[in-house]
Amino acid sequence: MIDNPSQFRELPSPLPEGERVIWQGKPTYKGLAIRSFHMRAVAIYFVLLIAWKAWSNWSNGQSPAEALTSASMLLIPAAAGLGLLALLVWLFRRATCYTITSKRVLLQMGVALPITINIPLTRIANADLRQNRDGSGDIPLRIIDDKRASYVLLWPHVRPWYINHPEPMLNSVPDVATVAAKLTEAVKAQTDSSAVAIMQSTSSGPEDGPLPSPTAPAVA
């Protein structure tokens, strides 16, 4: 998280007079690697594949040493695959910046083609807070807008599996509870509703909590 105004990343255009940056940051590397690029699952897959290959070789008459030596050749594609994923995570994180201002949420993204998603706070119909054990988490935003960006365009800054109705998401934000509180205050200031509350589920899984009132612009 960036709190010093002099360290703010440059925005696509100057903010209008009276608008200020409240928070700016980017996803955690660990969160992107594990929950968006599924590096842990890929590593487990290769471990199981190598173990199965070694067992198969041994059951077909090879000695334990020969079976392990033959199976270890799979370490080469495993290392190459995990290395490529690690590079992609680094590139996506480097190209990403989330900004909350007093009037909007900006999602700057894109490795090959940088784009910026501009979400006015008054267009946020609802949101969820999902907090992980390490304090990081996700803040999916449900937008009041008939024109939606595609799931592919937003990925990985989109709520998982909401393909037909994509919801932009602040992905793997560090200290997500603090960021959600800042967003809540910003939304409060831009709406007439006083029923703005945060509902969080402290979990590393995909659970989240909806707002009790979907009609009021709020952050949950």
Side-chain angles (χ1 to χ4, degrees), residues 4-217:
N4 186 346
S6 64
Q7 297 177 349
F8 284 143
R9 175 172 170 174
E10 184 178 355
L11 298 175
S13 59
L15 294 177
E17 184 177 353
E19 185 174 356
R20 61 186 179 86
V21 173
I22 296 174
W23 176 88
Q24 191 176 77
K26 56 177 60 216
T28 64
Y29 185 93
K30 178 182 176 181
L32 275 184
I34 294 177
R35 288 181 285 276
S36 293
F37 286 82
H38 305 288
M39 287 187 64
R40 179 183 292 167
V42 173
I44 292 174
Y45 165 79
F46 276 111
V47 169
L48 294 176
L49 183 62
I50 292 171
W52 173 83
K53 181 66 175 177
W55 177 84
S56 178
N57 291 340
W58 175 75
S59 64
N60 287 328
Q62 293 186 0
S63 67
E66 290 174 336
L68 287 174
T69 300
S70 176
S72 66
M73 296 302 295
L74 290 173
L75 289 173
I76 297 175
L82 290 172
L84 178 59
L85 284 177
L87 176 61
L88 288 175
V89 172
W90 181 81
L91 289 173
F92 271 80
R93 183 177 184 272
R94 182 175 179 269
T96 299
C97 182
Y98 303 138
T99 304
I100 299 174
T101 77
S102 54
K103 295 185 180 298
R104 73 192 78 192
V105 175
L106 297 168
L107 282 68
Q108 295 172 264
M109 65 187 79
V111 175
L113 183 62
I115 62 171
T116 299
I117 305 297
N118 182 357
I119 306 172
L121 298 181
T122 55
R123 305 300 294 175
I124 298 177
N126 199 0
D128 292 316
L129 168 62
R130 182 176 63 185
Q131 185 170 1
N132 303 308
R133 293 188 182 94
D134 61 0
S136 67
D138 307 327
I139 306 178
L141 306 174
R142 190 179 307 164
I143 310 302
I144 308 171
D145 199 339
D146 294 333
K147 298 179 180 179
R148 298 177 180 270
S150 71
Y151 188 93
V152 174
L153 178 65
L154 290 172
W155 191 90
H157 318 283
V158 63
R159 190 171 192 168
W161 307 116
Y162 279 60
I163 298 175
N164 293 329
H165 302 283
E167 296 181 7
M169 183 176 75
L170 306 186
N171 189 356
S172 299
V173 175
D175 195 10
V176 69
T178 300
V179 178
K182 292 178 182 290
L183 181 57
T184 297
E185 292 301 319
V187 172
K188 278 184 179 180
Q190 287 297 305
T191 64
D192 295 329
S193 172
S194 59
V196 180
I198 298 179
M199 294 182 62
Q200 74 178 55
S201 62
T202 305
S203 167
S204 59
E207 300 178 0
D208 43 50
L211 284 177
S213 175
T215 58

